[in-house]
Amino acid sequence: MIKYLFITAALSVTLNVNGTTVMPSYTEPVDTAKVDVSGWQLSGKPLTLTWVSKDFHYRQFATPPTCMSADTTVTAWRGERLGVEALIVCREETGPMRVSLSDFIDARGRKVAMPGSSAMFMRYVLADDVRDCSYQSKETPVFTLPDMIDLPGTSVAIPAKSVRPIWCTVEVPRSLAPGRYVATLSLESEKGDRPVEKIKLNIDVLDRTLPKPKDYAFYLDLWQQPYAISRYYGVKPWSDRHIELLKPYAEYMARGGQKTVTTVLFYEPWGEQSNDKFEPMVETLRNPDGSWSFDYTIFDKYVEFMADNGIDRHIECFTMIPWEMKFRYFDKASSEYRFLDAPSSSSQYKELWMATLKSLEKHLKAKGWFEKSIIFMDERGADQMRDAVAVLREVTPDFKMGLAGEYHEELVDELYNYTLGNRCFFSASELERRRQKGLVTLMYTCCTTPEPSQFTSNSPADGAYIPVYCTATGFDGYLHWSFQNWNNNPMVDTRFFKFGSGDTFFIYPDGRSSVRYERLVEGIQLSEKIRLLRQEMTAADDIRGLLRLEEALIPLRSGAFSAWCPTSTVVNELTERVAALSRE
């Protein structure tokens, strides 16, 4: 279960930093963009609570849906994390309101505990519809979208002629008996003790069980930015308080089946695209005699922290080829930091990295981590990769290497982890060859991927589509370069000066989730269901079942989606087919 660090009021957060109480200012942005409001002229109840599709962005003041539903049913496997969306349609202004999800009741009328289940208001954040890698113009239209999922127990006042989405998370226990379970979503005034509105949620739990997230076969690789958290809360990096603040984000990653730890060997591998500079987790020191030495204190602390939170499949070490070929070190003779300018083809580069790799290999072997560690590069060209591979193979030939970037035929059998952007592909024979060798083959999206992608303005269904697309097309999983690379005001604004909205983070301060994260987990779980059904059908020689399963994946393999067949249609149809196969 994901733990929340802080209890929040409607518009402010109270927390304790190094013994001092701090209240970061938070005012939810109001959407001033022009929207169709004609539907508000129709008559209706002052306030209505209804279940709605989670495949749409419900604009705060736009015409609300006209179809209302007070009863909905969702199918689940045991061990599954469900997301269900409701909507408050408010024609008259309200005072502060609260929302709650009751205990679940089984067919015999008994209460059934589902720890980790709750109802939360969704919050509006600033976004635009830029989906590329360009510097953002101040003239770009800005609007709000309900992406942030607030913490349980908050209250919200609702303006007249507006809507407020609600997100219900249900964690289905792995030990739960199959059957139907019923809960009530209630909306009530903060000052009242009786619900103003109530609607019913039914969960049909099937006799099938997902693995624990740590055991998912789907390979999730979300790169982390721990320095954004220390900067946001004003705490010393790697202090006990910093480690405590990191915990909710590690738990979110673990819940999705995260496999990797992001470690940084040298200062700032990514240059200006980082809002908070990546300080090295390994301190590199130049001794007066010209030799090199290394301090792994922070590196060890972070790796051990992530392992304590269930994330320990691989350690990704960034990087032999940074975006600027400058390597910071502490010069002991002058007692100051300096940079070594060293192109990958230079003798200085080889000297530095021979010392670095020898030391790192020795340290990792002493800790028992060498076999799980990968020297990783991000979007570097073939020439630089050849230089790095040559040095690594000469010094530490058993060290694994990885790249997220473009396709290079010469690297297909060289790289342990090879992650391609969604516009690049391996051949079927290359995928199979890598699979037979036990290599990791992933797909990634970033600012070069307009859709499907993880921008705030993308269809919410894109998050669920991406993992099953990876599975259907033969990849082992999915990589995204920025889990919580926050801007300066992440509670309010998802824009960043260099990329489209939401590309740099999809989890919010204080352990607040997002629609994009929840839909990503949905897609990962759907991928696991497909894998398990395929295994079961193959073992049983169920040709008919396999044909039906593979037929369900055809729309994903084609990569075809459009205005008349969006990612939501593809995901929903696949979900229905998988549920039908799961019942057999």
Side-chain angles (χ1 to χ4, degrees):
M1 185 200 322
I2 292 169
K3 302 178 181 67
Y4 300 100
L5 249 66
F6 312 109
I7 303 299
T8 67
L11 296 177
S12 64
V13 184
T14 301
L15 58 145
N16 188 280
V17 178
N18 293 337
T20 303
T21 299
V22 182
M23 297 187 68
S25 174
Y26 168 58
T27 301
E28 187 176 28
V30 175
D31 198 343
T32 58
K34 187 176 181 179
V35 293
D36 175 21
V37 297
S38 59
W40 289 109
Q41 307 307 316
L42 302 175
S43 60
K45 293 172 59 178
L47 187 146
T48 305
L49 180 62
T50 179
W51 296 111
V52 291
S53 169
K54 57 186 176 183
D55 294 330
F56 299 97
H57 295 297
Y58 297 95
R59 299 290 294 274
Q60 189 171 12
F61 298 107
T63 293
T66 56
C67 183
M68 302 295 168
S69 173
D71 193 325
T72 194
T73 301
V74 183
T75 301
W77 286 28
R78 292 174 294 203
E80 185 170 356
R81 181 182 178 94
L82 296 171
V84 191
E85 191 167 345
L87 189 71
I88 303 168
V89 179
C90 189
R91 285 180 164 78
E92 299 178 3
E93 182 180 356
T94 76
M97 307 294 289
R98 290 192 303 245
V99 66
S100 62
L101 188 65
S102 72
D103 291 326
F104 281 84
I105 306 298
D106 69 8
R108 294 185 177 182
R110 299 172 298 187
K111 289 185 179 181
V112 176
M114 295 199 190
S117 303
S118 57
M120 297 146 287
F121 287 114
M122 294 164 64
R123 293 287 195 171
Y124 287 87
V125 292
L126 294 172
D128 56 34
D129 203 25
V130 174
R131 304 181 194 178
D132 58 31
C133 306
S134 63
Y135 289 92
Q136 306 305 305
S137 168
K138 294 182 179 179
E139 305 304 317
T140 302
V142 179
F143 45 85
T144 67
L145 293 174
D147 181 62
M148 183 168 71
I149 300 172
D150 211 342
L151 303 183
T154 57
S155 59
V156 174
I158 308 171
K161 297 181 180 179
S162 72
V163 300
R164 172 64 61 175
I166 297 165
W167 189 269
C168 298
T169 293
V170 179
E171 290 276 9
V172 181
R174 295 169 50 79
S175 59
L176 195 64
R180 172 164 289 194
Y181 298 85
V182 182
T184 300
L185 177 66
S186 298
L187 178 69
E188 61 187 45
S189 168
E190 190 176 58
K191 297 181 179 179
D193 55 2
R194 297 178 59 185
V196 176
E197 286 277 285
K198 297 190 296 184
I199 53 178
K200 188 166 72 170
L201 174 61
N202 309 291
I203 308 292
D204 283 346
V205 179
L206 304 182
D207 191 14
R208 291 186 178 274
T209 307
L210 283 170
K212 294 179 180 179
K214 184 178 177 63
D215 298 324
Y216 287 172
F218 189 92
Y219 195 105
L220 180 63
D221 187 358
L222 303 173
W223 294 353
Q224 304 112 54
Q225 174 38 308
Y227 295 102
I229 294 171
S230 59
R231 182 266 304 168
Y232 182 83
Y233 290 106
V235 300
K236 182 180 178 180
W238 308 114
S239 62
D240 290 345
R241 180 58 175 159
H242 185 203
I243 294 296
E244 180 185 359
L245 289 165
L246 288 170
K247 190 170 180 60
Y249 311 99
E251 290 178 337
Y252 272 117
M253 286 185 284
R255 183 60 187 86
Q258 171 78 1
K259 306 302 184 201
T260 64
V261 184
T262 306
T263 65
V264 177
L265 303 181
F266 282 92
Y267 174 80
E268 193 42 73
W270 290 282
E272 68 170 349
Q273 79 173 41
S274 301
N275 187 50
D276 296 282
K277 295 304 179 186
F278 283 84
E279 292 290 334
M281 296 178 182
V282 177
E283 184 75 282
T284 301
L285 305 103
R286 191 71 180 259
N287 300 313
D289 64 0
S291 63
W292 299 96
S293 57
F294 305 88
D295 183 344
Y296 295 94
T297 302
I298 294 172
F299 180 94
D300 292 350
K301 177 178 281 193
Y302 189 53
V303 171
E304 289 165 358
F305 162 77
M306 293 292 276
D308 289 344
N309 285 277
I311 302 170
D312 61 0
R313 175 77 64 85
H314 285 123
I315 303 167
E316 293 178 339
C317 305
F318 291 88
T319 175
M320 286 183 72
I321 310 290
W323 287 35
E324 296 180 26
M325 294 301 293
K326 297 180 179 182
F327 300 91
R328 196 184 78 177
Y329 63 94
F330 185 78
D331 183 62
K332 295 178 76 172
S334 62
S335 296
E336 63 183 15
Y337 283 106
R338 293 183 175 178
F339 284 89
L340 177 67
D341 292 340
S344 60
S345 58
S346 67
S347 60
Q348 295 93 332
Y349 177 86
K350 184 174 183 179
E351 179 209 350
L352 171 65
W353 276 101
M354 287 182 69
T356 301
L357 289 168
K358 286 178 181 177
S359 173
L360 184 59
E361 179 185 42
K362 180 179 179 181
H363 180 77
L364 291 170
K365 286 183 174 179
K367 300 291 287 188
W369 298 340
F370 181 73
E371 292 301 322
K372 65 173 69 175
S373 296
I374 308 168
I375 297 290
F376 220 95
M377 268 65 78
D378 180 27
E379 296 183 340
R380 300 299 85 193
D383 290 344
Q384 288 183 316
M385 287 299 299
R386 274 192 291 269
D387 292 338
V389 169
V391 173
L392 185 138
R393 294 298 171 231
E394 178 181 343
V395 182
T396 52
D398 295 329
F399 223 135
K400 295 179 176 68
M401 182 173 278
L403 168 69
E406 294 186 352
Y407 172 84
H408 303 291
E409 184 178 3
E410 65 197 273
L411 298 176
V412 170
D413 297 303
E414 178 68 45
L415 300 177
Y416 176 79
N417 182 320
Y418 202 167
T419 301
L420 295 182
N422 76 337
R423 296 176 180 177
C424 299
F425 297 93
F426 295 105
S427 69
S429 62
E430 288 171 336
L431 280 171
E432 181 58 28
R433 192 164 73 242
R434 288 183 58 81
R435 185 177 297 109
Q436 291 296 326
K437 292 181 177 180
L439 306 178
V440 177
T441 311
L442 309 180
M443 187 202 83
Y444 76 98
T445 62
C446 63
C447 60
T448 63
T449 316
E451 60 179 343
S453 200
Q454 288 285 4
F455 296 113
T456 314
S457 60
N458 277 111
S459 165
D462 282 12
Y465 178 97
I466 289 169
V468 287
Y469 173 82
C470 293
T471 296
T473 52
F475 291 96
D476 298 319
Y478 171 69
L479 180 152
H480 191 78
W481 73 276
S482 52
F483 182 60
Q484 81 289 47
N485 200 337
W486 290 337
N487 59 26
N488 290 332
N489 195 9
M491 286 286 289
V492 170
D493 199 341
T494 61
R495 295 171 297 165
F496 188 62
F497 76 95
K498 190 174 173 59
F499 308 121
S501 299
D503 190 46
T504 64
F505 68 94
F506 51 102
I507 207 76
Y508 292 86
D510 305 342
R512 290 175 173 83
S513 186
S514 74
V515 174
R516 290 170 294 140
Y517 165 83
E518 299 293 342
R519 298 304 303 267
L520 180 68
V521 172
E522 174 189 335
I524 292 169
Q525 293 175 147
L526 187 52
S527 293
E528 285 295 295
K529 293 177 185 180
I530 292 166
R531 176 182 66 85
L532 293 169
L533 287 171
R534 184 183 284 132
Q535 284 181 354
E536 177 185 297
M537 292 169 180
T538 301
D541 201 23
D542 181 2
I543 304 301
R544 180 174 173 272
L546 283 168
L547 286 173
R548 291 168 62 196
L549 181 60
E550 298 308 315
E551 181 184 22
L553 296 174
I554 288 174
L556 286 143
R557 290 203 175 104
S558 70
F561 57 91
S562 63
W564 56 269
C565 186
T567 55
S568 57
T569 298
V570 176
V571 169
N572 291 336
E573 289 184 354
L574 178 62
T575 299
E576 290 176 6
R577 291 190 178 196
V578 168
L581 290 167
S582 301
R583 291 188 177 94
E584 296 179 1

